[in-house]
Amino acid sequence: MVRIIPMASSIRPSLSSITFSSRFGVSLSSCNNPSRRLNSFHAGCVPQSQLFSLKASKLVRAEGSNMAVRAAGNMAPVSSAITQEDALDWVKKDKRRMLHVVYRVGDLDRTIKFYTECLGMKLLRKRDIPEERYTNAFLGYGPEDSHFVIELTYNYGVDQYDVGAGFGHFGVAVEDVAKTVDLIKAKGGKVTREPGPVKGGRTVIAFIEDPDGYKFELLERGPTPEPLCQVMLRVGDLDRSINFYEKAFGMELLRKRDNPEYKYTIAMMGYGPEDKNAVLELTYNYGVTEYDKGNGYAQIAIGTDDVYKTAEVIKLSEGKVTREPGPLPGINTKITACVDPDGWKTVFVDNIDFLKELE
């Protein structure tokens, strides 16, 4: 289980006083104090028409919280309703890829140093948004247009987060686990599981923690195009989750393994083979139906050819759309957002619009 980090009283402001910003999130007025802002991905009081950019936040302040989701006359037409059979057929053909995972850290420079020096990642880009009091850093093993990457968010003045018990770990494939662990130790990193074969298998693994307490599983593999290879989340009903991710997200169940000795079952879900693509690892612990998610982990972003059809498929699959599809106010990027049956958040981003943003 992931160690739950308590937030020290000296730095633990109430949720209504923290700006939880992220790449697809803007700071909206909190319910308790209009002068303070809260990220749209972590506030129960944010309306369903959540907004997801700095430019969007400026329009929100100008037009008010009841603004309809639109882009100044540039709203793309909503796709016509589709049947469940058509939806399931379309979602399998949609060009989808896991783009990045978003989470919050207490010291951005410290985390960047750890990821680049210990895990061999590259700092792809960094941006500061002083108006919204947050900074983003994108790190990974290759360009964002072809690799799954990490988006770190630092909110001014917040130096610690609760990782929660629901988030599991990130997986990183390395060619020599023991050598990587030695490097991490030399840099003062924390190793929580020494290198060795996985229980019940032959793959050599190790576990480490970054400075904020997020766990990384090091997996020994040969050269791979996608070293940042896993995001593990815990769920309360594995079959329910598998069914949802297959139907609503168009993911494939790559493999499933039950481990009765240690009372857990895992399912690997994704858009391609594990050795070439980032995958979602869902873990069910016997008898545990709910988890504390903390306030550190935010969401995964996935590319799609049509956010409108994506939203319809999610609804037909009994999913909850938390942001109706459409262009972001002020820019043309089209998105939609949802939560899975356990409340884990995902943002779908138009593929063409995403590439334009990277330009």
Side-chain angles (χ1 to χ4, degrees):
M1 300 292 284
V2 173
R3 178 169 60 90
I4 301 175
I5 303 176
M7 298 180 70
S9 59
S10 61
I11 53 87
R12 186 178 184 179
S14 65
L15 286 180
S16 63
S17 67
I18 303 176
T19 302
F20 287 128
S21 301
S22 65
R23 180 177 183 278
F24 293 112
V26 296
S27 303
L28 301 181
S29 298
S30 72
C31 295
N32 297 327
N33 189 342
S35 68
R36 298 190 182 273
R37 293 183 285 271
L38 189 65
N39 174 267
S40 57
F41 288 111
H42 206 82
C45 61
V46 177
Q48 203 171 31
S49 57
Q50 292 173 320
L51 306 173
F52 295 80
S53 75
L54 173 61
K55 293 182 180 179
S57 68
K58 292 178 179 177
L59 283 179
V60 170
R61 288 194 292 271
E63 296 185 22
S65 60
N66 292 324
M67 181 189 72
V69 178
R70 62 187 182 277
N74 194 29
M75 173 66 94
V78 177
S79 302
S80 57
I82 54 179
T83 65
Q84 188 165 14
E85 183 178 354
D86 290 339
L88 297 178
D89 182 59
W90 174 82
V91 76
K92 292 293 184 182
K93 298 175 182 177
D94 188 24
K95 295 182 179 65
R96 297 191 172 185
R97 179 176 72 86
M98 290 170 61
L99 303 178
H100 53 255
V101 60
V102 185
Y103 54 103
R104 305 171 181 100
V105 296
D107 185 326
L108 196 58
D109 291 337
R110 177 186 65 183
T111 304
I112 292 172
K113 180 179 175 67
F114 182 84
Y115 288 4
T116 54
E117 293 185 358
C118 295
L119 297 176
M121 294 186 189
K122 296 179 181 179
L123 175 61
L124 304 173
R125 60 188 171 106
K126 186 177 179 181
R127 65 180 180 188
D128 185 41
I129 312 295
E131 304 97 313
E132 298 298 315
R133 297 179 57 77
Y134 74 91
T135 305
N136 288 139
F138 295 79
L139 296 101
Y141 295 98
E144 292 177 62
D145 60 358
S146 58
H147 288 73
F148 184 58
V149 306
I150 286 171
E151 178 188 336
L152 302 175
T153 296
Y154 168 69
N155 292 290
Y156 291 9
V158 184
D159 60 9
Q160 190 171 341
Y161 292 94
D162 178 5
V163 175
F167 170 78
H169 62 258
F170 303 111
V172 174
V174 299
E175 293 188 41
D176 190 326
V177 168
K179 184 177 180 180
T180 304
V181 166
D182 287 342
L183 173 62
I184 291 169
K185 287 180 177 179
K187 296 290 184 178
K190 182 178 181 180
V191 177
T192 59
R193 199 269 202 192
E194 293 292 336
V198 65
K199 294 173 181 176
R202 293 180 294 176
T203 302
V204 176
I205 66 167
F207 275 92
I208 65 167
E209 282 187 9
D210 76 359
D212 289 273
Y214 293 103
K215 283 191 176 180
F216 282 77
E217 180 182 17
L218 306 179
L219 301 102
E220 192 159 282
R221 292 181 183 174
T224 174
E226 196 69 281
L228 182 60
C229 57
Q230 294 176 0
V231 177
M232 192 275 259
L233 302 173
R234 297 183 173 92
V235 298
D237 185 325
L238 190 58
D239 290 336
R240 178 186 65 182
S241 294
I242 292 171
N243 183 62
F244 176 80
Y245 281 98
E246 285 181 328
K247 291 183 177 180
F249 283 31
M251 288 185 174
E252 178 185 354
L253 174 60
L254 303 172
R255 63 185 173 97
K256 185 178 179 181
R257 188 181 79 233
D258 186 36
N259 195 327
E261 181 181 357
Y262 295 98
K263 298 184 178 181
Y264 73 87
T265 308
I266 65 168
M268 297 293 191
M269 311 290 298
Y271 296 110
E274 290 180 62
D275 60 342
K276 297 180 180 179
N277 299 271
V279 300
L280 186 61
E281 178 182 346
L282 304 177
T283 297
Y284 168 69
N285 292 292
Y286 291 9
V288 184
T289 59
E290 292 185 14
Y291 292 94
D292 167 29
K293 295 179 178 60
N295 60 1
Y297 176 87
Q299 73 273 336
I300 289 175
I302 296 175
T304 176
D305 286 337
D306 191 326
V307 297
Y308 300 97
K309 284 185 178 179
T310 292
E312 291 173 8
V313 171
I314 291 169
K315 292 175 182 177
L316 286 171
S317 304
E318 299 183 357
K320 181 180 179 181
V321 173
T322 56
R323 198 278 188 187
E324 292 295 333
L328 297 171
I331 60 176
N332 292 323
T333 300
K334 295 178 288 294
I335 67 166
T336 190
C338 70
V339 293
D340 76 356
D342 290 274
W344 295 113
K345 304 176 181 72
T346 300
V347 176
F348 285 89
V349 187
D350 181 272
N351 285 324
I352 294 177
D353 294 346
F354 176 69
L355 293 178
K356 288 180 179 178
E357 280 195 31
L358 295 180
E359 294 174 357

